[in-house]
Amino acid sequence: MNSNFTFDWSAAFSSIPHLLTGIPYTLLISIAGLAIGFFIGIFFGLLRISPSRWLRVPAIVYIEIFRGTPVLVQVLFIFYGLSDVIGHIGPLTAGIAAIAVNSGAYISEVVRGGIQSIERGQREAGLSLGLSRLNTFRYIIWPQAFRRMIPALGNQGIISIKDTSLFAVIGVGELVRQGQIYIATTFTALEVYLMVALMYLAITLTLSLLLRLLERRGLVGQ
């Protein structure tokens, strides 16, 4: 331990304006990636519970591949690997794509679990009322299942926000990348990374508090 080290609070606070420039990129990648991942998750989640093996198997393959490999490897594959095949992919696009395919795999399982948690009697009741299978799913199954999915979707959102920190390796100007740039000129790694951690904590705590607020109002679960 270096006994001569003194934590420089002024360096920590002076880094805040510079770090704040990375937050829009962090939020953009998270929100855009999760929005795309949500639709991917619904698509593969429905395929996952299909009675047809020909529809289930591709969904299982997709889910296992993207849940079983690190998101860092996925973004490197997209940024460097796919760029060689289909042309240059910008770091921001690669980051959004990585969050989309990675979160989509996890959300697929959330969708599957949410739908399968609805009692069989709900579906039978809808059909007995004369609703088609599609309308039974649309008006009875999905609204209830979606409420049960919200806590898990919130957790996935928090995980994806934290995953964006890995994209500094491809030069995305998000929070960690801005911290690295600032450290390169000030050599105050401990102070700056502490502020980076606090900013991530502020973002994720805000999302957690929002979820708890929804739970208290009875808008999720049940």
Side-chain angles (χ1 to χ4, degrees):
M1 181 177 178
N2 185 359
S3 59
N4 295 323
F5 179 80
T6 302
F7 191 87
D8 187 353
W9 283 105
S10 62
F13 287 114
S14 62
S15 70
I16 292 177
H18 186 82
L19 296 178
L20 287 176
T21 62
I23 289 184
Y25 289 99
T26 295
L27 295 179
L28 174 62
I29 296 170
S30 304
I31 295 172
L34 284 167
I36 298 171
F38 180 67
F39 290 104
I40 293 174
I42 292 175
F43 178 73
F44 283 101
L46 293 176
L47 293 184
R48 182 73 176 78
I49 57 176
S50 170
S52 170
R53 178 183 299 178
W54 296 105
L55 296 179
R56 281 201 316 275
V57 169
I60 293 171
V61 171
Y62 164 76
I63 291 168
E64 294 303 325
I65 287 175
F66 287 99
R67 285 203 315 168
T69 54
V71 68
L72 178 58
V73 174
Q74 293 165 15
V75 76
L76 292 175
F77 177 83
I78 294 170
F79 185 65
Y80 293 109
L82 285 187
S83 290
D84 290 340
V85 178
I86 64 175
H88 176 68
I89 299 175
L92 187 61
T93 303
I96 292 172
I99 290 293
V101 295
N102 183 268
S103 66
Y106 286 94
I107 292 173
S108 298
E109 287 297 88
V110 173
V111 170
R112 179 185 66 82
I115 292 174
Q116 290 182 333
S117 72
I118 303 301
E119 296 76 11
R120 182 184 295 271
Q122 298 280 332
R123 176 175 171 273
E124 294 172 350
L127 295 175
S128 66
L129 290 173
L131 295 176
S132 65
R133 291 179 182 274
L134 178 60
N135 283 338
T136 298
F137 178 81
R138 180 181 176 185
Y139 295 114
I140 296 178
I141 305 298
W142 178 255
Q144 297 181 77
F146 182 70
R147 289 179 60 185
R148 295 182 180 182
M149 294 175 201
I150 291 177
L153 292 174
N155 288 334
Q156 181 56 47
I158 290 172
I159 292 170
S160 293
I161 288 170
K162 293 187 293 183
D163 282 345
T164 61
S165 64
L166 300 171
F167 302 159
V169 299
I170 59 171
V172 177
E174 46 68 64
L175 199 47
V176 171
R177 180 61 177 165
Q178 295 301 334
Q180 291 174 336
I181 294 171
Y182 192 79
I183 291 167
T185 57
T186 62
F187 305 103
T188 52
L190 182 63
E191 292 86 350
V192 174
Y193 279 131
L194 174 63
M195 297 310 297
V196 169
L198 291 176
M199 287 186 182
Y200 271 109
L201 188 61
I203 295 171
T204 56
L205 281 179
T206 301
L207 183 55
S208 295
L209 291 174
L210 179 61
L211 287 172
R212 290 179 186 174
L213 181 63
L214 292 174
E215 289 180 4
R216 287 180 182 175
R217 294 188 175 185
L219 298 178
V220 302
Q222 305 299 318

